[in-house]
Amino acid sequence: MAEGLKELYELQQIDSALQRVKKGIEALDGGAAAAKELDRHKQALAAKESDLRKLQREYQDLELQVKSLDKKRTDARFKLYGGKIHVAKELESLEREAKSLSQQIDGLETKMLGLMEAMEPLEAEVAPLRAAVSEAEAGLAKVRTEQQSHRNLLSGQHQGLLSQREAAAAKVLAPLLQRYNQVRQRTGYLGVVKVDGSTCGACHMTLPSLTLREVRESATLRSCDGCGRILYIPD
């Protein structure tokens, strides 16, 4: 086996661990799925609340109109029955005005009743939607807290592995380390692989007997003909 290959494989193990930690950190998305769920509930709530507010504004407008007309009707009735007006035409005019105002008020109150009936189911739908938003907000906060805790853990592991890598790399011969880095640049993070029986541990290609013997006995490095990675067989 080529000199220093064992140390190189140990370096690869550390690099593989660093790669796993890196992927673990990258997978922490800040609770994207939970945030999307919260946004969905918020949009549904906003739509219902918008519909409800529209009906409430219409109801309030009608309510103001009713109050204004009721005041006019009260004034007309006060004049009509106050005993200060005795002219028949004026009394008839006030009576017609009071009657017209009552009819307008009745029409508006009918509309208000219809709006109340329309608001009831919306109010019933808004309550559970608000609860869903609150629950989704709590869920997102929990996910983010858990992910931050996990991120801190992985960051600590990453720093520890970097220190281990520095020490492990110092044990590897410079030409061997250079070859390893070149292979990693070409093939990805994996530069040296352990032979699994008679197959490459990376691409799983069956290795010729001569290649296996040379990996065990030769002082030079042997690479997989399939993927180009450096082959390693433990003593």
Side-chain angles (χ1 to χ4, degrees), residues 20 28 31 44 56 62 71 77 111 118 169 184 192 198 210 213 215:
R20 288 192 295 271
L28 300 175
Q56 288 172 336
L62 292 176
K71 184 178 183 306
R77 285 175 174 174
K111 289 182 179 179
R184 290 184 74 210
V192 55
S198 61
L210 177 60
R213 185 167 65 252
V215 174

Coordinates of all heavy atoms in Angstrom, one line a residue, residues 20 28 31 44 56 62 71 77 111 118 169 184 192 198 210 213 215:
R20 N -21.1 16.4 5.7 CA -22.4 16.1 6.3 C -22.9 17.3 7.2 O -24.0 17.6 7.1 CB -22.3 14.8 7.1 CG -22.1 13.6 6.2 CD -22.3 12.3 7.1 NE -21.3 12.2 8.1 CZ -20.1 11.5 7.9 NH1 -19.9 11.0 6.7 NH2 -19.3 11.4 8.9
L28 N -31.1 23.7 7.2 CA -31.9 24.5 8.1 C -32.4 25.7 7.4 O -31.7 26.7 7.2 CB -31.0 24.9 9.3 CG -30.4 23.7 10.1 CD1 -29.4 24.2 11.2 CD2 -31.5 22.9 10.7
G31 N -37.4 27.3 9.0 CA -38.8 26.9 9.1 C -39.6 27.4 7.9 O -40.7 27.9 8.0
A44 N -55.9 33.4 4.3 CA -57.3 33.0 4.4 C -58.0 33.9 5.5 O -59.2 34.3 5.2 CB -57.4 31.5 4.9
Q56 N -69.4 45.2 7.7 CA -69.5 46.0 8.9 C -69.6 47.5 8.6 O -70.3 48.3 9.2 CB -68.3 45.8 9.8 CG -68.4 44.4 10.5 CD -67.1 44.1 11.3 OE1 -66.1 44.6 11.0 NE2 -67.2 43.2 12.3
L62 N -75.4 52.4 7.1 CA -76.9 52.3 7.2 C -77.4 52.8 8.6 O -78.4 53.5 8.7 CB -77.3 50.9 7.0 CG -77.2 50.4 5.5 CD1 -77.6 48.9 5.4 CD2 -78.0 51.2 4.5
K71 N -84.0 61.1 13.5 CA -84.0 62.4 14.1 C -84.9 63.4 13.3 O -85.7 64.1 13.9 CB -82.6 63.0 14.1 CG -82.5 64.4 14.8 CD -81.1 64.9 14.8 CE -81.0 66.3 15.5 NZ -81.9 67.3 15.1
R77 N -92.5 64.7 13.9 CA -93.6 64.3 14.8 C -93.8 65.3 15.9 O -95.0 65.6 16.3 CB -93.3 62.9 15.4 CG -93.5 61.8 14.4 CD -93.1 60.5 15.0 NE -93.5 59.4 14.1 CZ -93.1 58.1 14.3 NH1 -92.4 57.8 15.4 NH2 -93.4 57.2 13.5
K111 N -82.4 46.2 5.3 CA -81.0 46.0 4.8 C -80.0 45.6 5.9 O -79.2 44.8 5.7 CB -80.6 47.2 4.0 CG -81.3 47.5 2.7 CD -80.7 48.7 2.0 CE -81.4 48.9 0.7 NZ -80.9 50.2 0.0
A118 N -75.7 38.1 7.0 CA -74.5 37.8 6.2 C -73.2 37.8 7.0 O -72.3 37.1 6.7 CB -74.4 38.8 5.1
A169 N -4.4 16.8 8.2 CA -3.7 17.2 6.9 C -2.2 17.4 7.1 O -1.4 17.1 6.2 CB -4.3 18.5 6.4
R184 N -10.5 15.6 -5.5 CA -11.7 16.1 -4.9 C -12.3 17.3 -5.8 O -13.5 17.4 -5.9 CB -11.4 16.7 -3.5 CG -11.1 15.6 -2.5 CD -10.9 16.2 -1.1 NE -12.2 16.5 -0.6 CZ -12.4 17.5 0.3 NH1 -11.4 18.3 0.6 NH2 -13.6 17.8 0.8
V192 N -10.8 10.0 -1.8 CA -10.2 8.6 -1.6 C -11.3 7.8 -1.0 O -12.1 8.2 -0.1 CB -9.0 8.7 -0.7 CG1 -9.3 9.3 0.7 CG2 -8.5 7.3 -0.4
S198 N -14.6 -6.2 -3.6 CA -13.9 -6.1 -4.9 C -14.4 -5.0 -5.7 O -14.2 -4.9 -6.9 CB -13.9 -7.4 -5.7 OG -15.2 -7.7 -6.0
L210 N -6.0 -7.4 -10.7 CA -4.6 -6.7 -10.8 C -4.7 -5.4 -10.0 O -3.8 -5.1 -9.3 CB -4.2 -6.5 -12.2 CG -2.9 -5.8 -12.4 CD1 -1.8 -6.5 -11.8 CD2 -2.6 -5.5 -13.9
R213 N -4.7 -6.1 -6.3 CA -3.4 -6.5 -5.8 C -2.4 -5.3 -5.8 O -1.7 -5.1 -4.8 CB -2.8 -7.5 -6.7 CG -1.5 -8.1 -6.2 CD -1.0 -9.4 -6.9 NE -0.8 -9.2 -8.3 CZ -1.5 -9.6 -9.3 NH1 -2.6 -10.2 -9.0 NH2 -1.2 -9.3 -10.6
V215 N -3.3 -2.2 -5.3 CA -3.7 -1.3 -4.2 C -3.1 -1.8 -2.9 O -2.6 -1.1 -2.0 CB -5.2 -1.2 -4.1 CG1 -5.6 -0.4 -2.8 CG2 -5.8 -0.5 -5.3

